[in-house]
C-alpha cells in the first residue's frame, strides 16, 4: 500500500478509538479497514498492446517508471486515470486470423496465379450463409465457438448484417442482460417485438427491441432520461470501470430523475438502467462488430471456395481460435481436405498445399525448433535425401531428433511406409552416428522386428505431432462401441429431439462460463464429427472425476432446436469411460 494511505488509515483508526474510548470491536474495525481498501489496485500489470500518444515527450506529461520486464517503461496511471486526463490511448492487438487470410491468399496466388482482393467480395453469397446456418464454422473467425454453433442454426443468417448481429449476440453483455433468447424468439416470430418504453422504438427497432450494440446504450440514455451526448458517454465509460460504484450510483439517480421528467415510471426506468448496466461493460460497438463480421465473412469464403489453402493457413497459424490443431485437421478431412504427415523430402517449415491436401510443416514435430528445421532444409536443398544414412550424414541432426522424424512418419515415404518405423530405429541405433563427427560406414545387422500395430502408430503420432493425420483415436474403439449401441457423433446429429442416446468421443473443449449458472459444457469429437454436451451442476459435482477423463462415453437426452443439437447428460448410475482402454 502507498505510505500516505497507510498513514491515513492509521490516523482514522486512532481517531475512532479515541471517540469510543478504545472500545472499537475488532471485527468492525476490520470491516471499516476493508471498506477503505475497496477500489485500491490489487496488483500492477502491463497491457501488452496499450500505448499512449502525446505531442510532447511522454515523461513531460505523465509519471513513468521502469517495468518489471527489462527494457520496458510504463505509465504509473491506470487506463481510467489516463482517460480522465484526456490522453490518447490506443490498444494495438494482433489477430492471427489476419495472418491466416494473408497466408491463404498467398497460397492461392502461388498455385493459380490469381491475386485475390477479399475486400471486394460480394456480401450476398448464399453458399456462405448456408454454411453459417448449419453451424459449420470450425476455424472461422468469431463464429466457431460452441455457443455460436448452437445459436447460428436458430439465427439463420441471411445477410451480412446478420453476421454483425451474430458476432455481437454471443457476448457476456447481451447474455447478462437477458437479450439473446428474446432476440432469437422475436426473429423467429415466436414472440412479439416489444419495447421497454415507446420512446425506445426508434433506437431499438433494428435489433427487435433489445440492446445489442454499445451505441444503443448512449441513445437509450438520451431518449429515456434526456442525457446529453456527453452525459451518455460518461455513463458508458462509468459502466466500463470495475470500481465505479459511487459514480454509477450518482448516474443512476440522474437517469431516474431524467426518466421521471419524461413521464416514465420508476420501475420501468430501473429495469432499463439495470439492463444497460449488465450490457455496457461487455458489449461491442456496431462498427467493431461489423469489422469482425467482415473478417468472419472472408474466412468463410476461403473455407467454401479454397478449402485446401484455408486449412493449410489455419494449421500454419496455430495456436489460434477455439479448437486445437487436431480438431481443425478432423474438420478438414470432413470437408474433403486430406492432412498429410510431415515429410523430410516434401515439407517446408510451415504447412504447404499439395493438390487438394495439406502437408504438415516440420514445425509440427515435437522438439523440432527453428534451428533444426533450417538445418534440415539447408541440407536438403535441391537434392532429396536418399535414405536414413544419407539424411544423418547431411543434416548431422541430434540422434533424438532423427528418432522423432522416424517415429512420427516423416520418413515413411523415404524408407518404406509406416510399418517400417521400428526398423528405422534399429538402423539408426546401428549407425556409428555422431552429430559433429565424420561418419563411418558400419554394416547393419539384419533383424526381424514385429510390425507396428495401429494403436502404436497412433500413439507415436499423437505424442510427436499432437494429432494423427488421417486417423482418430476413436476409430480403434468403434467395433466395441457399435456392439454396445454407442452412436457416432454424426448419428447423434441426425437424431430427433428427446431421443435417449449413448455417444462416445474425445473431449476437445471444456467450458464453465460465468453466465451459465454453473452448467458445464463439453464438446466430444470422434472420427465422424463433433457433439456438444450439457451437464447440470449437481451431476458434474457427483461425477467430476469421470467427466475429467480424456475419452468418454455418456448417456443423455438429445435436445434439438432447429438444426442445432446437443446432448443433456443424464446419470445412469455412473458414467463409464473408455479412457485407457
Amino acid at each position: 500500500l502507498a505510505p500516505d494511505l497507510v498513514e491515513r488509515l492509521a490516523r482514522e483508526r486512532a481517531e475512532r478509538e479515541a471517540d469510543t474510548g478504545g472500545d472499537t470491536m475488532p471485527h468492525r474495525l476490520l470491516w471499516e479497514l476493508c471498506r477503505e481498501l475497496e477500489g485500491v489496485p490489487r496488483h500492477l500489470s502491463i497491457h501488452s498492446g496499450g500505448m499512449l500518444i502525446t505531442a510532447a515527450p511522454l515523461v513531460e506529461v505523465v509519471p513513468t517508471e521502469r517495468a518489471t520486464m527489462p527494457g520496458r517503461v510504463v505509465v504509473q496511471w491506470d487506463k481510467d486515470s489516463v482517460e480522465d486526463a484526456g490522453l490518447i490511448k490506443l490498444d494495438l492487438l494482433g489477430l492471427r486470423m489476419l495472418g491466416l487470410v494473408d497466408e491463404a491468399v498467398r497460397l492461392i496466388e502461388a498455385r493459380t496465379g490469381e491475386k485475390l482482393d477479399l475486400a471486394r467480395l460480394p456480401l450476398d453469397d448464399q453458399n456462405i450463409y448456408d454454411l453459417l446456418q448449419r453451424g459449420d464454422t470450425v476455424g472461422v473467425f468469431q463464429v466457431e465457438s460452441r455457443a455460436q454453433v448452437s445459436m447460428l442454426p436458430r439465427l439463420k443468417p441471411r445477410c451480412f448484417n446478420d453476421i454483425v448481429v451474430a458476432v455481437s449476440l454471443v457476448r457476456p453483455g447481451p447474455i447478462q442482460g437477458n437479450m439473446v433468447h428474446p432476440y432469437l424468439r422475436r426473429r423467429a416470430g415466436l414472440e412479439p417485438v416489444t419495447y421497454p418504453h415507446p420512446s425506445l422504438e426508434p433506437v431499438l427497432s433494428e435489433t427487435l427491441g433489445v440492446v445489442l450494440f454499445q451505441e444503443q446504450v448512449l441513445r437509450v440514455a438520451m431518449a429515456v432520461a434526456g442525457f446529453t451526448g456527453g452525459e451518455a458517454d460518461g455513463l458508458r465509460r462509468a459502466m466500463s470501470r470495475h470500481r465505479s460504484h459511487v459514480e454509477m450510483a450518482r448516474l443512476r439517480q440522474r437517469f431516474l430523475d431524467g426518466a421521471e421528467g419524461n413521464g416514465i415510471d420508476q420501475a420501468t426506468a430501473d429495469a432499463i438502467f439495470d439492463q444497460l448496466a449488465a450490457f455496457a461493460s461487455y458489449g461491442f460497438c456496431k462498427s467493431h462488430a461489423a469489422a469482425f463480421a467482415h473478417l468472419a465473412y472472408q474466412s468463410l469464403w476461403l473455407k467454401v471456395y479454397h478449402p485446401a489453402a484455408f486449412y493449410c493457413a489455419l494449421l500454419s497459424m496455430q495456436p489460434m481460435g477455439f479448437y486445437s490443431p487436431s480438431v481443425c485437421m478432423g474438420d478438414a478431412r470432413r470437408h474433403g481436405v486430406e492432412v498429410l504427415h510431415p515429410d523430410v523430402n516434401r515439407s517446408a517449415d510451415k504447412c504447404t498445399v499439395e493438390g487438394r491436401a495439406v502437408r504438415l510443416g516440420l514445425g509440427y514435430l515435437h522438439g523440432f525448433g527453428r534451428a533444426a528445421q533450417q538445418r534440415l532444409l539447408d541440407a536438403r536443398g535441391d537434392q532429396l535425401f536418399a535414405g536414413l544414412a544419407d539424411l544423418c550424414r547431411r543434416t548431422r541432426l541430434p540422434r533424438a531428433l532423427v528418432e522423432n522424424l522416424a517415429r512420427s512418419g516423416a520418413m515413411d515415404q523415404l524408407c518404406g511406409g509406416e510399418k517400417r518405423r521400428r526398423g528405422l530405429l534399429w538402423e539408426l541405433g546401428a549407425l556409428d552416428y555422431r552429430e559433429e563427427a565424420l561418419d563411418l560406414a558400419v554394416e547393419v545387422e539384419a533383424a526381424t522386428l514385429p510390425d507396428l500395430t495401429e494403436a502404436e502408430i497412433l500413439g507415436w503420432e499423437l505424442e510427436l505431432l499432437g494429432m494423427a493425420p488421417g486417423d482418430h483415436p476413436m476409430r480403434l474403439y468403434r467395433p466395441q462401441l457399435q456392439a454396445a449401441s454407442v452412436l457416432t457423433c454424426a448419428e447423434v446429429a441426425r437424431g430427433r429431439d428427446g431421443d435417449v442416446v449413448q455417444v462416445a468421443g474425445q473431449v476437445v473443449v471444456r467450458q464453465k462460463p460465468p453466465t451459465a449458472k454453473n452448467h458445464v459444457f463439453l464438446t466430444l469429437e470422434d472420427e465422424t464429427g463433433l457433439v456438444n454436451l450439457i451437464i447440470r451442476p449437481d451431476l458434474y459435482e457427483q461425477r467430476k472425476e469421470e467427466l475429467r477423463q480424456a475419452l468418454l462415453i455418456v448417456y443423455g437426452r438429445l435436445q434439438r432446436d432447429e438444426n442445432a443439437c446437443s446432448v443433456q447428460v443424464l446419470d445412469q448410475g455412473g458414467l463409464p469411460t473408455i479412457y485407457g482402454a
Side-chain angles (χ1 to χ4, degrees):
L1 298 180
D4 59 337
L5 178 59
V6 175
E7 183 181 349
R8 180 166 65 84
L9 290 173
R11 183 174 63 254
E12 290 177 358
R13 181 174 64 177
E15 291 172 355
R16 285 193 296 270
E17 289 177 346
D19 292 340
T20 58
D23 191 29
T24 302
M25 297 292 290
H27 65 275
R28 180 170 180 80
L29 179 59
L30 178 62
W31 170 258
E32 292 175 353
L33 287 172
C34 290
R35 190 173 59 184
E36 292 282 352
L37 291 172
E38 186 178 9
V40 174
R42 292 171 297 175
H43 63 279
L44 298 177
S45 60
I46 302 173
H47 189 305
S48 58
M51 302 182 69
L52 285 183
I53 298 178
T54 56
L58 194 63
V59 293
E60 297 178 8
V61 180
V62 290
T64 61
E65 64 181 30
R66 294 186 184 278
T68 53
M69 183 180 293
R72 296 288 181 92
V73 176
V74 295
V75 173
Q76 294 183 12
W77 297 348
D78 63 13
K79 66 180 182 66
D80 294 333
S81 299
V82 166
E83 187 174 8
D84 291 341
L87 299 179
I88 298 174
K89 177 175 71 74
L90 298 179
D91 291 347
L92 302 178
L93 303 177
L95 288 177
R96 293 183 74 88
M97 181 55 68
L98 291 171
L100 183 155
V101 170
D102 185 67
E103 175 73 2
V105 168
R106 186 190 65 77
L107 289 168
I108 294 165
E109 183 179 9
R111 294 180 62 215
T112 68
E114 180 184 7
K115 188 168 180 61
L116 296 171
D117 184 359
L118 298 187
R120 297 181 179 274
L121 290 176
L123 300 178
D124 58 354
D125 190 322
Q126 192 54 48
N127 290 328
I128 303 298
Y129 297 104
D130 289 345
L131 203 70
L132 281 167
Q133 290 179 22
R134 294 196 302 269
D136 186 2
T137 54
V138 170
V140 176
F141 184 61
Q142 285 289 303
V143 292
E144 67 170 340
S145 70
R146 173 201 57 79
Q148 285 281 2
V149 168
S150 298
M151 184 271 295
L152 287 168
R154 299 175 61 195
L155 180 66
K156 294 186 177 68
R158 294 184 290 269
C159 63
F160 180 74
N161 194 59
D162 289 344
I163 306 179
V164 178
V165 168
V167 167
S168 303
L169 201 57
V170 181
R171 297 277 299 163
I175 293 171
Q176 290 176 358
N178 191 31
M179 301 168 193
V180 177
H181 295 295
Y183 182 89
L184 294 173
R185 288 194 296 267
R186 294 175 186 189
R187 182 180 172 89
L190 303 176
E191 174 182 307
V193 176
T194 59
Y195 302 93
H197 189 267
S199 63
L200 294 181
E201 183 171 355
V203 178
L204 302 179
S205 59
E206 70 164 328
T207 53
L208 307 182
V210 302
V211 179
L212 283 187
F213 305 118
Q214 206 172 74
E215 295 92 334
Q216 291 175 315
V217 172
L218 281 66
R219 296 178 63 196
V220 167
M222 295 167 72
V224 171
F227 274 38
T228 65
E231 286 178 316
D233 191 56
L235 173 64
R236 177 195 62 79
R237 286 188 282 112
M239 288 175 173
S240 68
R241 299 187 180 195
H242 298 293
R243 296 178 290 274
S244 59
H245 309 303
V246 175
E247 181 67 8
M248 281 296 293
R250 185 186 68 79
L251 289 170
R252 174 185 281 272
Q253 191 57 51
R254 164 70 180 88
F255 187 91
L256 297 179
D257 292 343
E260 183 180 8
N262 285 335
I264 301 174
D265 63 89
Q266 182 171 340
T268 300
D270 262 323
I272 294 172
F273 190 90
D274 288 341
Q275 191 179 49
L276 296 183
F279 169 83
S281 299
Y282 301 101
F284 273 167
C285 60
K286 189 174 182 180
S287 58
H288 189 175
F292 274 16
H294 195 222
L295 189 52
Y297 189 91
Q298 292 174 344
S299 53
L300 283 160
W301 189 88
L302 288 168
K303 182 170 181 173
V304 170
Y305 293 107
H306 295 276
F310 171 79
Y311 286 108
C312 181
L314 177 63
L315 289 168
S316 288
M317 291 296 157
Q318 295 295 320
M320 63 176 292
F322 195 77
Y323 297 104
S324 67
S326 176
V327 176
C328 296
M329 179 200 69
D331 191 68
R333 186 168 59 244
R334 291 187 289 274
H335 286 81
V337 177
E338 186 180 2
V339 177
L340 306 173
H341 293 81
D343 187 278
V344 293
N345 275 336
R346 291 178 172 84
S347 287
D349 52 347
K350 297 194 296 185
C351 299
T352 52
V353 175
E354 294 186 12
R356 195 175 166 79
V358 174
R359 174 75 64 183
L360 289 178
L362 296 171
Y364 265 92
L365 278 160
H366 177 69
F368 223 73
R370 287 292 306 163
Q373 295 170 40
Q374 197 59 49
R375 191 167 185 172
L376 186 147
L377 294 173
D378 290 344
R380 186 177 74 194
D382 296 328
Q383 182 182 359
L384 300 183
F385 298 114
L388 174 64
D390 183 46
L391 181 141
C392 293
R393 177 180 58 81
R394 287 162 59 186
T395 65
R396 298 292 177 180
L397 285 168
R399 187 179 295 268
L401 292 186
V402 179
E403 289 179 359
N404 287 353
L405 288 171
R407 292 200 299 133
S408 68
M411 300 178 70
D412 285 354
Q413 299 290 329
L414 183 66
C415 298
E418 61 185 19
K419 293 187 176 180
R420 277 275 299 139
R421 295 180 194 177
R422 182 172 279 139
L424 279 177
L425 297 179
W426 175 267
E427 293 177 22
L428 179 62
L431 289 176
D432 187 5
Y433 164 51
R434 298 162 191 159
E435 284 90 72
E436 302 298 343
L438 294 174
D439 57 310
L440 299 175
V442 177
E443 184 176 350
V444 178
E445 184 178 347
T448 303
L449 302 172
D451 290 340
L452 289 173
T453 65
E454 287 186 319
E456 288 174 319
I457 292 170
L458 191 68
W460 280 5
E461 292 177 359
L462 291 174
E463 173 195 350
L464 296 170
L465 300 175
M467 64 176 76
D471 208 345
H472 194 282
M474 295 306 301
R475 186 185 60 79
L476 300 181
Y477 300 103
R478 189 54 56 194
Q480 301 97 307
L481 293 172
Q482 286 179 331
S485 300
V486 177
L487 302 181
T488 66
C489 294
E491 290 169 334
V492 169
R494 295 192 293 267
R496 296 171 300 177
D497 183 50
D499 285 353
V500 175
V501 299
Q502 285 191 97
V503 63
Q506 180 181 6
V507 181
V508 295
V509 175
R510 299 178 188 271
Q511 282 187 305
K512 189 178 180 182
T515 56
K517 300 179 181 178
N518 290 323
H519 281 72
V520 176
F521 301 94
L522 304 182
T523 299
L524 298 185
E525 183 192 39
D526 66 10
E527 70 273 29
T528 69
L530 303 168
V531 67
N532 291 318
L533 309 181
I534 305 171
I535 306 166
R536 302 189 318 271
D538 60 325
L539 180 58
Y540 183 77
E541 287 302 316
Q542 295 169 20
R543 313 235 62 92
K544 68 171 61 175
E545 292 305 316
E546 293 97 327
L547 290 167
R548 286 173 176 170
Q549 303 293 343
L551 302 178
L552 293 175
I553 301 175
V554 297
Y555 171 84
R557 180 171 286 107
L558 184 61
Q559 296 182 342
R560 179 175 291 282
D561 189 346
E562 299 290 345
N563 291 324
C565 70
S566 56
V567 174
Q568 174 78 53
V569 177
L570 304 174
D571 191 359
Q572 199 183 20
L575 296 172
T577 73
I578 54 175
Y579 180 78

